[in-house]
């Protein structure tokens, strides 16, 4: 062999590499990996079918940006950077592993274009060494976070440390192999591999036999560790190295705010099929791929309002618990012949129980989607939590008592508070608000929503919005007594049957009036009408009042002229922001008003903290925890106001929102903190004050209070 000949000490040195040893290593390593991968595939396929093969171009772009490009990682500066370094290092060094396996058969093996004499080979050699060093750096950062800083969001177990150790050793072994190789005089032509070249001086003076042993040590350590690492992956959280790209590729491309309907509910009930998710095999294959992909990074729990306030729910632990359960029962579930027919004969272990997922975990979720927005590998929780709730509610009739009142109210009075249905029009008294039945030619339907119609505080927002519409000359009308709840609270609480009944009824009403455009001041109604009603035949444009009012301001139909001297902390509603990307319109309206200064709380826009009302929380007691969600969020908003107050000496404070549920939660939060000096206003009310003047707005408030 070339090296042996050049060294001239052939008899003392083992042949540089061994085809037999490499063949045994590769067959054993890849054989074992293939066996594990096949089992993981089979396990994934026990899940319900789910179509995720459409819009391939869009999916490829998504995977390139978020799985390969790690676009969400920089949100956590240093650990994000470390992850980018290690992940991109793996991609670059994949080729290196192939080359080294080839060198088990021929010492000078290289893929032709990647030979060090070729331009591509030189570029790759530099890149390879650069990424070896970067991966070492990234691993050190990870070690620091695990062993020194001990970040609470991470799972600080031995598994993580072992894997980091393997990665670290792989990189060191690679450098050792190059260094020892170059220390042998005839191999210095490879100096483009600069890490080895720089270090090789440290080894000069060692005998050729010692150098050869070091070279072997580096080579076999690296090549074997790659195969060992590969075989650990399917059994550890590091499986995401393989599954992250397909998981992001298979992301749900339908609107984020849409829950997938249960098809053919009545048929399913008749056939006694499972409704929602009862046992692990009731998840879809994509749901199982999600579980494989969780990196246990804890970013989801870091932003979860339930975790932050000490509730039992932590999305990371929910994913890990489901995955542990899946693996623990894998032999049993893989024997299921017809996964969709949950006849209870095989795996009938209910997921929701005191030993596995406690009901309190599920009922603590506000469906705010903060976890999903943060997860670097696009794992979803709201769909799984609602699916588990669906089973609890529709099959086991197990849910918080207070929700029974909400369900009854929806069934009998068309609103979750159980107000008499006839009271829905009370807010219109003395205001001359047109009904669609009297004005079939109205261009826009103003969907008032249950809160806007019945809740005394939200009525003021409804009135302010209606006054602005009238002032701007908008040809609008309301449904009046024909309006009923969209069904959103029922759906988020898991009562899909009730939701579908209400959705179908409302869609019929819209069809009957030939409705083409709807505006609403409630983000929950907005999301359901816009993103979920199309599944029930609803075909119309839906606009949130902040978008609609901003357009009127821009077109000069509404002129915010009167000064409203106020420092306003704006709170993003989850169903408006994270669900529907409406962040700028409310802020732009506020900034268009003379005298208003907008300030941002510490968690804002797509990281805005939930007020605690979503996901049907509004209609039940908050689950037990250390603090209330609305108290923490109110604290953040007040802090934002106080900071500005100190600087600008203003005394006129307000918290603004654009959702009746947020308004209720934040008003309570402000009252609990005895900060009555801080006003809680909807964006429409602030605009109304500027356009129509304080007197008219006060009249608005009075009119609502008299209802
Ligand atoms: S949706 Fe919100 S409350 Fe629910 S798990 Fe995710 S972050 Fe937590
Ligand atoms: S679900 Fe996503 S964000 Fe949460 S721990 Fe797993 S990978 Fe991290």
């Amino acid at each position: 062999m070339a090296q042996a000949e050049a060294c001239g000490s052939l008899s003392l040195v083992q042949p540089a590499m061994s085809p037999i040893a490499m063949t045994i290593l590769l067959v054993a390593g890849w054989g074992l990996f293939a066996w594990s991968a096949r089992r993981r595939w089979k396990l994934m396929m026990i899940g319900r079918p789910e179509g995720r093969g459409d819009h391939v171009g869009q999916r490829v772009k998504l995977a390139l940006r978020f799985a390969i490009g790690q676009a969400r990682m920089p949100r956590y500066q240093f650990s994000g950077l470390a992850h980018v370094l290690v992940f991109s290092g793996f991609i670059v060094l994949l080729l290196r592993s192939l080359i080294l396996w080839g060198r088990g058969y021929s010492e000078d093996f290289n893929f032709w274009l990647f030979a060090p004499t070729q331009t591509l080979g030189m570029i790759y050699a530099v890149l390879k060494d650069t990424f070896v060093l970067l991966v070492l750096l990234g691993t050190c950062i990870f070690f620091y976070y695990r062993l020194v800083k001990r970040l609470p969001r991470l799972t600080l177990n031995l598994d993580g440390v072992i894997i980091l150790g393997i990665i670290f050793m792989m990189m060191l072994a690679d450098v050792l192999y190059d260094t020892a190789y170059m220390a042998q005089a005839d191999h210095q032509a490879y100096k483009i591999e600069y890490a080895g070249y720089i270090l090789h001086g440290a080894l000069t003076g060692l005998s050729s036999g010692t150098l050869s042993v070091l070279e072997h040590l580096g080579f076999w350590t690296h090549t074997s560790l790659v195969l060992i690492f590969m075989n650990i992956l399917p059994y550890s959280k590091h499986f995401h190295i393989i599954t992250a790209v397909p998981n992001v590729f298979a992301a749900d491309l339908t609107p984020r705010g849409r829950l997938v309907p249960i098809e053919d509910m009545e048929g399913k009930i008749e056939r006694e099929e499972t409704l929602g998710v009862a046992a692990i095999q009731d998840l879809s294959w994509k749901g199982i791929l999600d579980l494989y992909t969780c990196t246990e990074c804890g970013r989801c729990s870091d932003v979860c309002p339930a975790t932050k306030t000490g509730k039992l729910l932590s999305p990371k632990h929910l994913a890990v618990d489901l995955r542990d359960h899946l693996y623990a029962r894998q032999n049993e579930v893989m024997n299921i012949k017809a996964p969709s027919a949950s006849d209870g004969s095989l795996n009938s272990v209910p997921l929701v129980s005191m030993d596995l997922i406690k009901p309190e975990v599920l009922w603590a979720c506000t469906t705010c989607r903060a976890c999903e927005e943060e997860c670097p590998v696009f794992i979803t929780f709201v769909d799984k939590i609602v699916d588990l709730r669906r089973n609890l509610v529709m099959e086991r009739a197990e849910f918080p008592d207070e929700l029974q009142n909400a369900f009854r109210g929806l069934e009998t009075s068309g609103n979750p508070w159980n107000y008499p249905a006839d009271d829905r029009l009370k807010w219109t008294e003395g205001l001359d608000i047109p009904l669609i039945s009297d004005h079939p030619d109205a261009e826009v339907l103003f969907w008032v929503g249950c809160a806007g119609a019945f809740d005394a505080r939200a009525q003021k927002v409804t009135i302010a919005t209606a006054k602005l519409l009238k002032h701007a000359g908008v040809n609008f009308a309301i449904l009046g007594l024909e309006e009923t709840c969209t069904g959103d609270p029922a759906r988020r609480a898991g009562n899909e049957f009730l939701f579908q009944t209400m959705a179908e009824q409302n869609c019929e009403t819209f069809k009957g009036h030939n409705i083409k455009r709807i505006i609403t001041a409630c983000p929950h109604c907005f999301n359901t009408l816009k993103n979920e009603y199309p599944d029930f035949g609803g075909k119309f444009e839906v606009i949130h009042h902040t978008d609609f009012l901003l357009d009127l301001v821009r077109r000069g139909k509404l002129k915010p002229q009167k000064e409203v001297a106020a420092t306003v902390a704006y709170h993003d509603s989850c169903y408006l922001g994270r669900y529907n990307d409406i962040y700028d319109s409310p802020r732009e309206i506020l900034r268009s008003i003379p005298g208003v200064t907008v300030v941002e709380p510490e968690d804002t826009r797509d990281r805005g903290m939930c007020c605690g009302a979503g996901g049907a929380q509004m209609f039940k007691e908050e689950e037990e925890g250390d603090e209330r969600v609305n108290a923490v969020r109110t604290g953040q908003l007040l802090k934002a106001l106080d900071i500005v107050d100190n600087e600008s000496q203003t005394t006129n404070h307000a918290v603004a929102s654009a959702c009746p549920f947020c308004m209720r939660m934040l008003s309570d939060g402000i009252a609990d903190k005895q900060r009555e000096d801080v006003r809680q206003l909807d964006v429409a009310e602030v605009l109304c004050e500027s356009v129509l003047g304080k007197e008219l707005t006060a009249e608005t408030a009075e009119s609502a209070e008299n209802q």
Side-chain angles (χ1 to χ4, degrees), residues 419-433 435 448 452-455 459 462-463 478 480-481 702-707:
Y419 285 108
D422 289 348
D423 286 0
R424 193 174 275 277
L425 270 177
K426 270 194 165 179
W427 68 272
T428 61
E429 280 167 21
L431 291 170
D432 188 23
I433 305 291
L435 290 176
V448 178
F454 297 107
D455 180 87
Q459 281 175 342
T462 309
I463 294 169
I478 59 169
L481 296 183
E702 220 173 275
S703 153
E705 262 151 28
N706 291 336
Q707 307 306 318

Side-chain angles (χ1 to χ4, degrees), residues 183-258:
Q184 297 166 69
D186 61 322
H187 293 138
Q188 290 181 23
Y190 289 90
K191 58 182 147 194
I192 192 87
E193 293 178 289
Y194 65 88
Y197 183 70
I198 291 169
L199 291 172
H200 88 278
L203 300 186
T204 43
L206 295 180
S207 70
S208 61
T210 311
L211 289 175
S212 181
V213 168
L214 290 177
E215 181 195 343
H216 274 72
L217 185 67
F219 176 84
W220 289 108
T221 306
H222 182 96
T223 46
S224 327
L225 280 181
V226 173
L227 289 166
I228 291 171
F229 182 72
M230 211 171 83
N231 275 286
I232 292 177
L233 292 185
Y235 302 97
S236 76
K237 74 188 185 85
H238 293 84
F239 198 21
H240 72 268
I241 293 172
I242 294 172
T243 59
V245 174
N247 200 54
V248 176
F249 177 88
D252 186 1
L253 299 182
T254 61
R256 265 165 287 160
R258 170 184 176 260

